[in-house]
């Protein structure tokens, strides 16, 4: 799997270097200088080398995590066919709704009891984790935040804690037109990354 990740990252890096960077800067309203393009992902700052295409944490040479790297490459390459940035539909969908039969299988992996169990009884810790990811509190669930995957693309995270009648549950909602910005596979892996990151932050 690591080999596949490395191959995917390398192909995506090469594809990024073929793109018109000035168009990317204008389209995504990116901060830039002669060496880097800068972009924020889940509240953290990253830089993409204009000469090499490598993605590192801003102000350092520390490599970004793989899921972050692939999301950054994909948002530039997937929507490159659109001259203008795709408008959001304003309609929220689950992974299952977005991906059909495949999506239903992916969603189940994120909602297994053993996956959710570490979150039980930790609503305040989950709130703090969401805020550290740049989230904006909103209505829905015991914990509900709009998390900025990118400044221009948010995912709606909702969590319900367990009680006497129901087990704990989570839901991730994406705008229907997110698929015009990221490939479905990247949307799934980004969702899983967020879930894992929240669990890491509350430990």
């Amino acid at each position: 799997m690591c080999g596949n990740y490395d191959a995917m990252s390398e192909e995506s890096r090469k594809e990024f270097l073929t793109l018109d960077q000035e168009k990317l800067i204008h389209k995504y309203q990116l901060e830039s200088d002669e060496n880097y393009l800068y972009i924020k992902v889940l509240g953290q700052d990253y830089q993409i080398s204009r000469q090499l295409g490598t993605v590192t944490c801003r102000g350092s040479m520390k490599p970004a995590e793989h899921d972050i790297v692939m999301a950054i490459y994909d948002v530039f390459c997937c929507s490159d066919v659109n001259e203008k940035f795709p408008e959001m539909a304003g309609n929220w969908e689950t992974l299952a709704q977005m991906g059909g039969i495949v999506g239903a299988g992916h969603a189940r992996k994120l909602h297994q009891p053993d996956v959710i169990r570490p979150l039980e009884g930790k609503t305040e810790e989950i709130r703090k984790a969401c805020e550290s990811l740049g989230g904006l509190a909103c209505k829905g669930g015991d914990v509900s935040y709009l998390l900025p995957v990118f400044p221009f693309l948010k995912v709606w995270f909702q969590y319900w804690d367990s009680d006497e009648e129901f087990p704990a549950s989570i839901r991730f909602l994406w705008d229907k037109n997110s698929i015009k910005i990221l490939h479905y596979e990247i949307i799934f892996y980004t969702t899983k990354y967020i879930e894992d990151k929240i669990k890491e932050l509350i430990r």
Side-chain angles (χ1 to χ4, degrees):
M1 182 61 72
C2 290
N4 289 339
Y5 281 166
D6 290 342
M8 289 168 59
S9 295
E10 180 60 13
E11 287 303 310
S12 297
R13 183 188 70 82
K14 291 178 180 178
E15 185 176 356
F16 167 79
L17 291 174
T18 67
L19 303 178
D20 185 327
Q21 294 183 13
E22 294 304 319
K23 286 185 178 180
L24 291 178
I25 292 168
H26 176 73
K27 181 177 180 179
Y28 296 100
Q29 299 297 296
L30 302 177
E31 182 185 347
S32 65
D33 56 33
E34 62 180 8
N35 296 314
Y36 297 102
L37 305 184
Y38 300 99
I39 192 166
K40 191 180 289 286
V41 186
L42 291 167
Q44 308 303 312
D45 292 301
Y46 297 91
Q47 59 193 24
I48 307 99
S49 170
R50 301 187 71 162
Q51 288 73 40
L52 302 176
T54 50
V55 182
T56 53
C57 297
R58 183 165 183 169
S60 75
M61 289 296 103
K62 179 184 177 181
E65 295 173 86
H66 173 79
D67 291 307
I68 296 295
V69 172
M70 294 308 298
I72 289 173
Y73 286 148
D74 200 58
V75 78
F76 291 149
C77 299
C78 175
S79 62
D80 185 53
V81 295
N82 301 302
E83 188 66 26
K84 295 182 179 180
F85 184 79
E87 292 185 7
M88 294 293 93
N91 297 323
W92 298 92
E93 294 187 341
T94 64
L95 285 174
Q97 291 171 312
M98 295 180 75
I101 296 176
V102 173
H106 282 164
R108 280 195 295 273
K109 294 178 183 178
L110 296 171
H111 301 158
Q112 294 291 335
D114 60 321
V115 173
I116 301 174
R117 195 169 294 118
L119 304 177
E120 290 188 57
K122 298 180 179 178
T123 54
E124 188 56 37
E125 291 91 336
I126 296 171
R127 289 190 188 97
K128 291 179 180 178
C130 288
E131 288 170 7
S132 75
L133 295 174
L136 176 66
C138 54
K139 295 180 179 180
D142 294 319
V143 180
S144 180
Y145 278 81
L146 285 176
L147 302 177
V149 179
F150 295 100
F152 44 80
L153 179 63
K154 296 177 173 60
V155 61
W156 190 355
F157 167 77
Q158 299 174 333
Y159 171 75
W160 290 265
D161 209 4
S162 58
D163 58 25
E164 295 81 4
E165 297 184 37
F166 300 101
S169 63
I170 59 174
R171 183 165 65 174
F172 291 91
L173 297 171
W174 292 79
D175 187 279
K176 183 178 181 179
N177 283 350
S178 298
I179 204 74
K180 296 181 179 180
I181 300 171
L182 293 173
H183 286 96
Y184 178 79
E185 292 79 7
I186 298 298
I187 289 176
F188 167 72
Y189 284 114
T190 300
T191 303
K192 186 177 186 305
Y193 172 84
I194 294 170
E195 183 179 74
D196 291 341
K197 195 69 176 178
I198 290 173
K199 288 189 289 187
E200 175 187 319
L201 289 169
I202 67 174
R203 290 193 185 111

